Amino acid sequence: MTALIHPILLCGGSGTRLWPLSRKSYPKQFAKLLGDESLFQVSAHRLSGDGFAAPTVLTNSDFRFIVTEQLSAMGIDPKAILIEPDGRNTAPAVLAAALWLEKTDPDGVMLIAPSDHVVPDAQAFRDAVTAGLPAAQAGQLVTFGIKPGHPETGYGYLELAEEPGDFAARPLSLARFVEKPDAARAQQMLEAGNYLWNAGIFLFSVRSILAAFRAHAPDLMTPVQTAVDDARHDLGFLRLAVEPWSQAADISIDYAVMEKATNLSVVPFAAGWSDLGGWDAVWRETGRDARGVATSGAATALDCDNTLLRSEDPNLQVVGIGLNNIIAVAMPDAVLVADVSRAQDVKLAVLALKEKAATQAESFPKDHRPWGWFESLVVGTRFQVKRIVVHPGAALSLQSHHHRSEHWIVVEGTAEVTVDDEVTLVTENQSVYIPLGAVHRMRNPGKVPMVLIEVQTGSYLGEDDIIRYEDIYARE
């Protein structure tokens, strides 16, 4: 490559079509759906190496520490992590990244990529990016289109203005964007041979995309520019200013810019791709046996066909007998069973659970925090039992509670515990009592994760019953 490409990873989404594994509090990009790394981590790997700058990440406040934790586990130091005050779709996010990058590399080239896609052949994708780079440097807005493998109704399409031939990765002329079709139209486009799936991946120079926004979406310029100019640094993050950001339209980059621009090129990609937009896509991407059965975790299939069985808890055995075209996904707190043909309707289940005020609709069993994570093991009317894991060197905030007292029992590692003015070390098989109203904190002074069991008792056990006095993570 003749120019350094700045990967811009978008990971603020909260997809519901992969419920119960993907939820608002911990969406699919951070889950290990197809291996030992999350989709976000695999995406960061794919867009790294020769020719790529350190990634810039756009996410929201709830996910910022998950982003840093997962990048750190890979040894990747991001160029920047921009925090969106709230989700405003892809157009404001891309514009914010371009305006921020303009400050440091106005002649740079940006590669916009969602962080929840699956691309089995990472080198083939990097080669496609290389193929599109000259067009991007020449002022074109380059998008990437996927050679369709079946008549998909869940994707938008790109109609080519010229024949793709062997679908080799090279810039081609784009005729138009096509909305998600019905099944009959999708079949027609597949047979026509000059349509590609719209992957939502873009390559362009900073100057070209800013010119396109000024020409086609001028109303976005002032609020997003102000949000970037007034952004404040918070630990290792850059928080975009709340008030101007709220004035930006909620609109995709396709609608705001791409469908209006004339300097468009598309690079075909035929080496395999999926946005994992449903459990049927996960089933297709998972290794299946001769009968089309895919299992994951503590799952067993007996005399099944074309079925996906997953258990996300090693202590929860999922067994399918005589199933055909079935998806079954088990979590510690929720189980999904659906026909493969109804995979896109999983989002309706989430809506139904929200109407019932079920916490499983949006909340993940494990609650990830900057210091580690916790999960509720047992919940009663006046008590709760949690397992808490604290990373080496990490510490919870100095806090107190109005409505509950706590017992801490260390089961792995060592905890440094502060209770009012007393600081003690609590080792394995030791416990400590935190009275109602006591100012307290725990810290892991060791080099291995510290695990403890917390027993809460009181009249109210909600997570909002916390008064923070000090917090090394500057949480608001």
Side-chain angles (χ1 to χ4, degrees):
M1 297 183 182
T2 58
L4 201 61
I5 295 175
H6 295 274
I8 311 296
L9 284 170
L10 308 178
C11 63
S14 57
T16 58
R17 288 180 293 177
L18 289 180
W19 183 90
L21 183 59
S22 175
R23 307 188 197 182
K24 183 178 180 180
S25 67
Y26 199 78
K28 69 174 181 176
Q29 59 264 31
F30 302 119
K32 296 176 181 178
L33 274 160
L34 297 176
D36 295 331
E37 293 184 322
S38 71
L39 299 179
F40 170 67
Q41 289 175 310
V42 173
S43 298
H45 265 312
R46 186 167 59 247
L47 306 182
S48 62
D50 293 342
F52 290 95
T56 295
V57 180
L58 280 98
T59 188
N60 62 44
S61 185
D62 291 341
F63 304 150
R64 66 195 189 281
F65 292 109
I66 301 174
V67 166
T68 54
E69 180 179 330
Q70 294 200 354
L71 288 178
S72 177
M74 304 162 59
I76 292 179
D77 185 18
K79 182 178 180 67
I81 299 176
L82 276 60
I83 306 298
E84 301 174 84
D86 59 84
R88 311 299 292 172
N89 216 315
T90 54
V94 171
L95 178 55
L99 291 169
W100 178 84
L101 195 57
E102 183 185 34
K103 298 175 182 290
T104 57
D105 189 5
D107 297 316
V109 174
M110 308 167 59
L111 177 64
I112 309 298
S115 61
D116 56 0
H117 290 182
V118 173
V119 182
D121 192 337
Q123 186 56 53
F125 180 77
R126 287 190 285 264
D127 291 343
V129 173
T130 301
L133 184 56
Q137 291 176 306
Q140 291 290 102
L141 306 180
V142 180
T143 185
F144 293 83
I146 310 302
K147 178 184 178 182
H150 57 274
E152 176 63 55
T153 60
Y155 302 149
Y157 285 70
L158 304 170
E159 182 182 0
L160 297 172
E162 53 186 304
E163 291 299 321
D166 60 357
F167 290 91
R170 65 196 187 281
L172 301 175
S173 299
L174 178 63
R176 66 187 178 104
F177 287 76
V178 180
E179 296 293 331
K180 295 177 181 178
D182 58 23
R185 180 59 179 147
Q187 182 63 42
Q188 293 172 358
M189 291 191 288
L190 178 67
E191 295 170 355
N194 66 324
Y195 290 86
L196 303 173
W197 290 337
N198 182 3
I201 304 171
F202 305 97
L203 182 71
F204 33 64
S205 70
V206 173
R207 295 188 188 279
S208 295
I209 192 60
L210 289 180
F213 271 103
R214 292 186 182 103
H216 306 298
D219 291 347
L220 285 175
M221 292 301 302
T222 296
V224 178
Q225 179 77 70
T226 306
V228 172
D229 291 343
D230 294 348
R232 63 181 178 87
H233 290 278
D234 175 9
L235 299 178
F237 310 104
L238 185 69
R239 288 183 177 272
L240 301 175
V242 174
E243 181 57 32
W245 185 259
S246 68
Q247 298 172 17
D250 185 335
I251 186 171
S252 73
I253 190 171
D254 284 0
Y255 286 139
V257 173
M258 296 299 168
E259 294 186 4
K260 302 172 184 176
T262 57
N263 55 329
L264 295 174
S265 295
V266 57
V267 173
F269 185 72
W273 169 92
S274 174
D275 74 341
L276 290 189
W279 283 114
D280 53 339
V282 176
W283 169 69
R284 285 192 293 268
E285 296 296 327
T286 304
R288 290 170 281 168
D289 65 16
R291 297 181 63 171
V293 175
T295 61
S296 177
T300 303
L302 302 175
D303 194 25
C304 296
D305 295 282
N306 302 320
T307 288
L308 173 67
L309 299 178
R310 290 180 67 109
S311 173
E312 302 301 327
D313 186 336
N315 297 316
L316 199 163
Q317 293 287 335
V318 175
V319 180
I321 303 176
L323 303 178
N324 186 26
N325 296 322
I326 292 296
I327 294 165
V329 182
M331 297 284 291
D333 64 336
V335 177
L336 168 72
V337 181
D339 191 278
V340 171
S341 66
R342 302 293 300 274
Q344 295 300 311
D345 291 336
V346 172
K347 58 188 176 183
L348 301 179
V350 177
L351 292 175
L353 290 175
K354 289 175 69 174
E355 290 178 359
K356 294 170 62 175
T359 58
Q360 291 90 337
E362 298 184 335
S363 297
F364 203 69
K366 286 184 179 179
D367 197 322
H368 291 261
R369 298 298 172 94
W371 43 260
W373 57 268
F374 69 83
E375 62 179 338
S376 294
L377 303 178
V378 181
V379 180
T381 55
R382 291 183 60 87
F383 75 94
Q384 180 171 207
V385 181
K386 291 181 176 179
R387 174 168 55 175
I388 299 176
V389 178
V390 183
H391 298 316
L396 280 67
S397 62
L398 186 66
Q399 59 186 250
S400 65
H401 308 295
H402 281 306
H403 303 287
R404 69 176 185 255
S405 60
E406 298 171 342
H407 286 83
W408 294 344
I409 304 97
V410 176
V411 295
E412 292 182 27
T414 299
E416 180 189 274
V417 176
T418 299
V419 181
D420 292 327
D421 296 327
E422 183 177 355
V423 180
T424 58
L425 288 179
V426 183
T427 58
E428 290 183 11
N429 297 320
Q430 293 183 330
S431 63
V432 63
Y433 174 60
I434 314 297
L436 178 70
V439 177
H440 60 280
R441 163 185 278 160
M442 77 173 79
R443 187 176 75 88
N444 180 359
K447 298 185 181 299
V448 296
M450 183 266 289
V451 183
L452 61 83
I453 301 300
E454 177 183 82
V455 180
Q456 302 176 352
T457 57
S459 59
Y460 177 72
L461 306 173
E463 286 302 311
D464 54 350
D465 181 23
I466 295 178
I467 304 169
R468 286 196 177 99
Y469 304 96
E470 295 177 9
D471 184 27
I472 63 174
Y473 306 107
R475 287 171 291 176
E476 295 178 350

